[in-house]
Amino acid sequence: MAKYFDVHPQTPQTRTIGTVVDSLRAGALIAYPTDSCFALGCRLGNHEALERIRSIRHLDDRHHFTLVCENFSQLGQFVQVDNDVFRAIKASTPGSYTFILPATREVPRRLQHPKKKTVGVRIPDHTVTRALLAELGEPLVSSTLLLPDEDEPLTQGWEIKERLDHVLDAVVDSGDCGTEPTTVVDFSGGEAEIIRRGAGDPSRFE
């Protein structure tokens, strides 16, 4: 049964954030809000929670998981970024973008695309997400909370708790989230390739 945390969207309660992060460190899988829509998240290296995300969303091994990072220096530990790509990403973060880039050795193999050896990374512009990341001190492994055979992600914390109570450990709710996932830009080939048009303005990468 998932615990439910009601968090203030502008001034997240320090104690509540600490409790959620303690649960993450203990192996929890959570649903949490971002600047695009709700996401599923767990700690890097939490294999059991990762398999639960795959099961909830019916994902195969070609799915790009996303490392949600607090800042650019953290992001740089997990992906290889040349100068031109660095400038393009830096100008767009924090924001509703996911960038596909070559993974470094810090990224577990099971999180990488099996052939391309790439991983998704993003720095969200959301107060609650950033509070969680700052307290955790490491990225969250994440995937959009989009259920199989549904066109849009879940947007209400209470509905997520109701529908996924048996497969989640916690739901973090700070009010309505959007229904549009991030814009995904693939830089793994050196040039920007828009894979998915979403919440972030794609025109700057066209």
Side-chain angles (χ1 to χ4, degrees):
M1 187 169 170
K3 294 179 180 178
Y4 181 84
F5 296 96
D6 188 6
V7 181
H8 193 280
Q10 276 82 46
T11 54
Q13 303 92 315
T14 302
R15 182 176 294 180
T16 304
I17 294 295
T19 302
V20 175
V21 168
D22 285 345
S23 69
L24 283 165
R25 289 181 177 138
L29 172 62
I30 70 170
Y32 70 101
T34 76
D35 52 346
S36 57
C37 53
F38 271 97
L40 299 168
C42 64
R43 281 186 76 190
L44 194 66
N46 187 340
H47 307 320
E48 187 266 343
L50 195 66
E51 291 310 309
R52 285 159 69 190
I53 294 175
R54 290 189 192 276
S55 176
I56 290 167
R57 292 205 53 205
H58 295 183
L59 303 173
D60 60 27
D61 63 358
R62 292 168 296 184
H63 176 75
H64 267 113
F65 283 95
T66 300
L67 297 179
V68 179
C69 301
E70 180 188 2
N71 50 42
F72 211 93
S73 63
Q74 191 178 77
L75 180 149
Q77 299 174 40
F78 298 95
V79 288
Q80 301 170 36
V81 188
D82 66 26
N83 289 337
D84 289 341
V85 173
F86 173 90
R87 285 190 289 270
I89 294 177
K90 185 78 170 174
S92 306
T93 54
S96 302
Y97 298 93
T98 298
F99 302 102
I100 307 297
L101 289 159
T104 66
R105 292 182 180 180
E106 299 295 320
V107 180
R109 189 170 296 176
R110 69 179 60 207
L111 289 181
Q112 301 178 28
H113 188 281
K115 291 183 179 178
K116 298 179 180 179
K117 308 304 180 191
T118 50
V119 70
V121 287
R122 69 173 298 224
I123 301 172
D125 188 15
H126 191 283
T127 302
V128 174
T129 314
R130 294 174 73 83
L132 288 170
L133 293 168
E135 181 68 20
L136 183 62
E138 61 185 75
L140 277 170
V141 179
S142 289
S143 183
T144 302
L145 210 175
L146 180 62
L147 298 180
D149 303 320
E150 297 196 9
D151 295 328
E152 292 189 342
L154 299 179
T155 61
Q156 306 278 346
W158 63 266
E159 184 183 7
I160 293 168
K161 161 105 171 115
E162 191 174 85
R163 295 184 60 181
L164 299 177
D165 200 29
H166 60 297
V167 290
L168 294 178
D169 300 301
V171 176
V172 180
D173 189 3
S174 62
D176 287 1
C177 264
T179 59
E180 203 169 13
T182 56
T183 292
V184 179
V185 184
D186 189 343
F187 275 110
S188 61
E191 300 290 330
E193 180 185 356
I194 298 170
I195 303 298
R196 179 178 71 198
R197 295 173 184 273
D201 180 7
S203 64
R204 64 174 63 204
F205 298 105
E206 291 176 326

